[in-house]
Amino acid sequence: MLGNLLSKILPKKKKQPVSLEGRDLYGRNNVGYPTIQVSQEMDEIVTKYYRQLKPLVKFYKDTFIFKWAPAIINNSLDDEQLKNLSGRNVQMVYLLLFRDMLRHIADYVKPKNVSDNWPELFAQSLLDNCKMLDDADDPDVALKQQLFAVNECYDIEPEEPQPWIEPIAALIFVPAKDLYYWHRSLTEMILKRVGKKQKKKK
């Protein structure tokens, strides 16, 4: 399982390197390592510019990036698909959905000493630091550029999957309905949290 795999390679205690092959190897290289890089870059950006967001970003990472997303990938992809999965595509899916969550909560959350378009700045920094669009041989780069250029919140009001999720899910070979459900659920969960905090301040 990819969840177990992530726990093996996360830097907790010093252990002998684990020798992996087959599905575990593909999962480590194409999901595990890209996931860890995104997580580390998120932490660095938060530390430099958005310290107030640290608990929220940690909750998002623990719930979606380290749990739900790897589970969706593991349950959906066969060995060949996992072997051919692009780590950059995995990172782009994380980025697009994370940015959308930030856009949805921007009316409730305003970090100190940042401009109103802070969700876009956070996302751009994450894109640049991970070099997600820098691979010359990336066949999906044009699509990812197009997806990143979308400048408005995704519609998550309906229960049924919306068209915007289709090309995002296709990047990592997972069912659009699953990715939509978990993104919608988590974003709504976080909106309730930050919305309640905002009301208390008023």
Side-chain angles (χ1 to χ4, degrees), residues 52-63:
Q52 289 174 283
L53 296 181
K54 187 174 181 179
L56 186 151
V57 172
K58 182 181 185 304
F59 175 73
Y60 186 91
K61 291 195 310 174
D62 289 346
T63 305

Side-chain angles (χ1 to χ4, degrees), residues 127-174:
L127 178 84
D128 294 341
N129 293 356
C130 290
K131 303 184 185 303
M132 293 182 198
L133 299 176
D134 288 4
D135 293 337
D137 59 347
D138 185 351
D140 298 315
V141 67
L143 173 59
K144 287 184 285 191
Q145 288 172 336
Q146 181 181 353
L147 291 171
F148 188 74
V150 174
N151 58 12
E152 57 190 25
C153 287
Y154 298 137
D155 180 12
I156 59 171
E157 286 294 322
E159 292 188 8
E160 64 275 9
Q162 296 303 291
W164 62 261
I165 194 66
E166 297 286 347
I168 297 176
L171 284 174
I172 54 173
F173 314 135
V174 302

Side-chain angles (χ1 to χ4, degrees), residues 26-201:
Y26 308 145
R28 182 193 67 182
N29 292 344
N30 300 337
V31 181
Y33 287 154
T35 297
I36 290 173
Q37 183 188 19
V38 164
S39 173
Q40 291 173 339
E41 293 298 343
M42 281 183 173
D43 288 344
E44 287 194 17
I45 295 169
V46 166
T47 299
K48 288 181 180 178
Y49 306 110
Y50 309 102
R51 288 183 178 272
Q52 289 174 283
L53 296 181
K54 187 174 181 179
L56 186 151
V57 172
K58 182 181 185 304
F59 175 73
Y60 186 91
K61 291 195 310 174
D62 289 346
T63 305
F64 187 76
I65 292 180
F66 284 125
K67 185 178 179 182
W68 291 351
I72 294 171
I73 293 172
N74 187 61
N75 294 334
S76 304
L77 274 59
D78 59 29
D79 290 358
E80 190 65 20
Q81 288 174 313
L82 191 58
K83 179 181 179 180
N84 294 323
L85 181 63
S86 162
R88 292 293 189 218
N89 286 8
V90 171
Q91 292 181 331
M92 179 58 70
V93 170
Y94 291 153
L95 171 59
L96 292 172
L97 298 183
F98 177 69
R99 180 182 66 176
D100 187 60
M101 182 276 295
L102 295 182
R103 286 173 171 174
H104 277 283
I105 68 169
D107 287 340
Y108 302 95
V109 178
K110 181 68 190 311
K112 294 180 180 178
N113 305 316
V114 299
S115 61
D116 289 339
N117 68 332
W118 64 266
E120 315 309 316
L121 298 177
F122 195 134
Q124 186 66 54
S125 294
L126 189 57
L127 178 84
D128 294 341
N129 293 356
C130 290
K131 303 184 185 303
M132 293 182 198
L133 299 176
D134 288 4
D135 293 337
D137 59 347
D138 185 351
D140 298 315
V141 67
L143 173 59
K144 287 184 285 191
Q145 288 172 336
Q146 181 181 353
L147 291 171
F148 188 74
V150 174
N151 58 12
E152 57 190 25
C153 287
Y154 298 137
D155 180 12
I156 59 171
E157 286 294 322
E159 292 188 8
E160 64 275 9
Q162 296 303 291
W164 62 261
I165 194 66
E166 297 286 347
I168 297 176
L171 284 174
I172 54 173
F173 314 135
V174 302
K177 62 181 180 62
D178 293 345
L179 200 61
Y180 179 80
Y181 172 80
W182 291 115
H183 173 64
R184 179 176 183 265
S185 298
L186 181 55
T187 301
E188 289 183 340
M189 191 186 310
I190 293 175
L191 274 168
K192 288 179 181 178
R193 288 190 173 199
V194 300
K196 287 180 180 178
K197 288 182 179 180
Q198 181 74 4
K199 288 179 181 178
K200 287 181 181 179
K201 292 179 181 179

